[in-house]
Amino acid sequence: MTTDYYRWAGPLIRKLPPEAAHRAAILALRSGLVPPLPAIQHPSLAVELWGLRFPNPVGLAAGFDKNGEVPDALLGQGFGFVEVGTVTPRAQPGNPKPRMFRLTEDAAIINRMGFNNQGMEAMAARLAARPRAGIVGVNLGKNKDTEDAAADYEKGAARLAPFADYLVINVSSPNTPGLRALQSPDQLATLVRRTRGALDEATDMAKRPPLLLKIAPDLVEADLAAIAQVALGGALDGLIVSNTTVARPETLISIHARESGGLSGAPLFDPSTQVLRRMYRLTKGKLPLIGVGGIGSALDAYVKIRAGASLVQLYSALVYEGTALVGRINQDLVTLLARDGFANVAQAVGADQRAVRR
Ligand SMILES: Cc1cc2nc3c(=O)[nH]c(=O)nc-3n(C[C@H](O)[C@H](O)[C@H](O)COP(=O)(O)O)c2cc1C
């Protein structure tokens, strides 16, 4: 067993305010201070999607490495893939601090960062310099002051496609005014069509990364149905379900529960899994889904897979548990798959829904 440095480093890091702790973690990863954790290797964990081979289904969700500073160090912590961003065409500072809160008693986080990032040129330079090993997706957003939102996604897709194993249109962060309205039926089809058009123009067919859409957990049924229709129309290669929620479950007990922004972590598990389940049904299991929201254990990841996720991602649980959690999830996932007679992750995808239909 490798040493879990977070057992001693975690409590020290969490003495810092959340954003300073986050910066310290990035710097530690960048300087090589964090020892690599060997990935759990098992044939049942490997996932083939979009012509890519994911060594395991557990990815790092967007928002941790917003500027693409440490994707390889993060892959070295055992993740099957890493999503960098959200990146906007131009650098922007984000919202005033404090803008990230630990809800420790709730195993949750609230953030209202507002897409603070160094812009797509800085991201492109870093990604161009890295060895192309390990799967890195790039999550795209719009600048706060951009009026023609689709133009920003066009720019991001065209500029970053050469360095991305997949691209994500993020229209679901609650901290950029008007952003989530882009998920509405009348706006989404145009946004997706324009982004795909820019992507097609900028890259050769053979090198074109798959295009995904990341959605909010707070959508109503009519929106979900419209999104599924756009996705099945061939404009999208997958969906990420979901981003943070603006809802505040009554169960929250932390003093920070009323901060504005997006809630993530344990309280997001049920609502995001419900939307995932619904999306799997609406897309008839034909479209790869990435399940994210409140995953803190192998069982959580497994529930998402059985609800319809081909891959999963996490962020908030890492704040409380450190990256050794990734290995534990993969290790226990092997056991859970074998227990239920699945030879691999793909066989378990949507299993609950198949059982319901029979
Ligand atoms: C501090 C913080 C910043 C985030 N920033 C982004 C972001 O820039 N883009 C994005 O698509 N999601 C962002 N997210 C959302 C996560 O990618 C993820 O969808 C959400 O946190 C749910 O997963 P979790 O419960 O495992 O944290 C952020 C989450 C947190 C906690």
Side-chain angles (χ1 to χ4, degrees), residues 61-63 66 85-86 100 109 111 113 115 139 170 173 214 242-244 264-265 268 292-295 313-317:
K66 284 177 184 276
T86 294
M100 183 176 172
I109 304 279
N111 91 82
M113 307 298 287
F115 291 168
N139 180 304
N170 175 18
S173 292
K214 183 168 178 180
S242 73
N243 216 309
T244 57
S264 56
L268 179 59
V292 47
I295 294 177
Q313 293 177 320
L314 72 165
Y315 181 163
S316 298

Side-chain angles (χ1 to χ4, degrees), residues 22 60-64 66 83 85-87 99-100 107 109-113 115-116 139-140 168 170-173 175 214-215 240-245 262-266 268-269 272 292-296 313-319:
H22 172 254
L60 176 63
F64 181 84
K66 284 177 184 276
E83 190 170 311
T86 294
V87 58
R99 53 191 179 176
M100 183 176 172
I109 304 279
I110 289 177
N111 91 82
R112 50 170 179 266
M113 307 298 287
F115 291 168
N116 55 308
N139 180 304
L140 306 171
V168 183
N170 175 18
V171 283
S172 47
S173 292
N175 306 310
K214 183 168 178 180
I215 65 171
I240 305 186
V241 187
S242 73
N243 216 309
T244 57
T245 179
L263 172 72
S264 56
L268 179 59
F269 182 78
S272 63
V292 47
I295 294 177
Q313 293 177 320
L314 72 165
Y315 181 163
S316 298
L318 299 171
V319 170

